[in-house]
Amino acid sequence: MPVSILIAIFLAFELEEIRGISTSFGFGEAGRIGVVAASIAAVAAVSFAVGRFVAWRVDRGGYGSERLRRAYAIAGRVVAILVLLSYASILYVANWRSIVEVDFGLRGAFFLDEFLILLPYLIAQFTAWWGLYAAERSLRLASTRISDRGGLFVYLSLKARQSLALALPIVLIFLLGEDLGDRFAPNLDRSPWLQLGLIGLIGSTVLITAPAFVRLSLPASPLPDGPLRRRLETLMRRCGFRCSNILIWRTGHSLVNAGVTGIWSRFRYVLLTDALVDRLDEHQVEAVFGHEIGHIARRHFFLFSFFFIGSGAIISLAALGAHGLLTTVPGGRLASAFNGVAAGFNGVEAIETGLVIVAAIVYLIVGFGHVSRRFEREADVYGCRAVSCGSDDCPPHLDVNAGSGAIGVAERICPVGLRTFATALAEVAELNGIDRDARSWRHGGIGKRIAFLESLENRPQVQDRYARGSRRFRVVFATALVAAVAAAVATGALAKALTF
Ligand SMILES: [Zn+2]
Ligand SMILES: [Zn+2]
């Protein structure tokens, strides 16, 4: 799931609603256009510099060293953050939203206003991909494991599809809901609870129907009948897992990956890329497939939506806290000291906004990162179990997915199952040119994930302890979020945030 665009949407629409950030900076028209141009130019300068530099180093050395790849991975993350910062400055410093709504006169225009508000983000993001393309291409060609077909245009459209395919329908439904709400029930804003209900309704519609959009927007076709399909169907029966179809996602053999979408089995697809099915053997594909089933079996989609609802409550509490801090005498005096910095600059408002933004970003980075890595690990364990025979004295190992599907999923991981999954994971990383030791905010580094699985090998007590810990985490996680929502409701923080 592309987090970056969700943060952009949050910055553009939600934070704006919550805080009502307005002309805090007294730039004139030319100044504001200058800020927009400079923000995009900064992204272009950094990403092209990184792209060219990496390509030059690879050309010079004839290969991409581990050190270079690692440095590039970090640079890529810096560019991603820069894209968001540049968009934030366009939104808040240049006050882009008022340019669209007031200067272009598009307030309340159906969809067009929202699209134009998001446009600078899309431009910045495409600029960044374009800039980094030189690096991606030379690193990929240097490893020669995956072909490079189609050039820049194919690369950009792949990137766009990968990160926008799921997010755009969500945005569309969300904005449609808001537009319809504004048009047909303008008084809804006065009642926070009705609005919360509406958000819930829109959210569930998105969750249920998004996979259908993914199906329509990705170049994918059903996995043809054959030995692999039959084995995967056996695995699905063993797990009690249902989906609408198993799809092969055609990426021009440039991406080794898999994914699952949909909380409702009728609209649920498992996606396997063309290169994944080509490069991994059938047992490894089953292990990866098992990982995706694990996300569904462990209800990660539900828990994530729950996480975001709880996060809304936590951020609204933070906003209330910031407000409280600044209305104390010393806090207020300190903030208002900044009032005359620029024409129309309101110190209290700016500091309050800044505090909320920083708190929200830190919270999302730490909280969301932790939860996703934990969920990835749970799915990894499930992936191992999907190809484990469950026998105490394996090997000899029983090929569980060759049979009729009568044998359920093993409670514990066997050594052969563990090896199958771990080699699949390592292979996926290598084929995609990902360094094993590179850290990943959302998935955890490959090396660490494998080391964790190895720590479970032949140690049933450790496996049981992990399963118990997992269950305990769910209970604590759910309780904490319910408590946050309750606190936000009780203190009025949520109602306040929603009525802004
Ligand atoms: Zn996963
Ligand atoms: Zn076994």
Side-chain angles (χ1 to χ4, degrees), residues 258-260 288 291-292 295 300 372 375-377 379-380 443 449:
V260 63
V288 171
H291 170 103
E292 303 306 333
H295 280 306
H300 290 162
S372 341
F375 286 177
E376 275 321 298
R377 204 167 260 202
D380 285 349
H443 294 103
R449 282 165 73 182

Side-chain angles (χ1 to χ4, degrees), residues 2 18 23 27 74 118 125 134 262 289 295 320 322 418 438 461 469 481 488:
I18 292 173
T23 43
F27 282 110
I74 294 169
L118 269 179
Q125 181 63 78
F289 199 90
H295 280 306
L320 194 71
L418 191 146
Q461 327 83 288
L481 290 177

Side-chain angles (χ1 to χ4, degrees), residues 22 35 44 54 84 102 154 255 309 311 354 444 480:
S22 51
V35 169
V54 171
L84 287 172
V102 181
V154 170
L255 186 70
I309 296 169
S311 302

Side-chain angles (χ1 to χ4, degrees), residues 344-359:
F345 185 81
N346 182 332
V348 176
E349 193 182 89
I351 291 182
E352 197 175 321
T353 304
L355 282 177
V356 174
I357 293 178
V358 170

Side-chain angles (χ1 to χ4, degrees), residues 388-390 394 397-398 414 416-417:
S388 285
C389 61
C394 162
H397 175 75
L398 180 71
C414 79
V416 175

Side-chain angles (χ1 to χ4, degrees), residues 405-423:
I407 313 167
V409 176
E411 279 303 318
R412 290 184 186 140
I413 300 172
C414 79
V416 175
L418 191 146
R419 271 303 123 215
T420 310
F421 185 85
T423 55

Side-chain angles (χ1 to χ4, degrees), residues 325-342 344-352:
L325 201 68
L326 290 168
T327 43
T328 61
V329 179
R333 194 173 298 155
L334 182 71
S336 50
F338 291 97
N339 273 347
V341 172
F345 185 81
N346 182 332
V348 176
E349 193 182 89
I351 291 182
E352 197 175 321

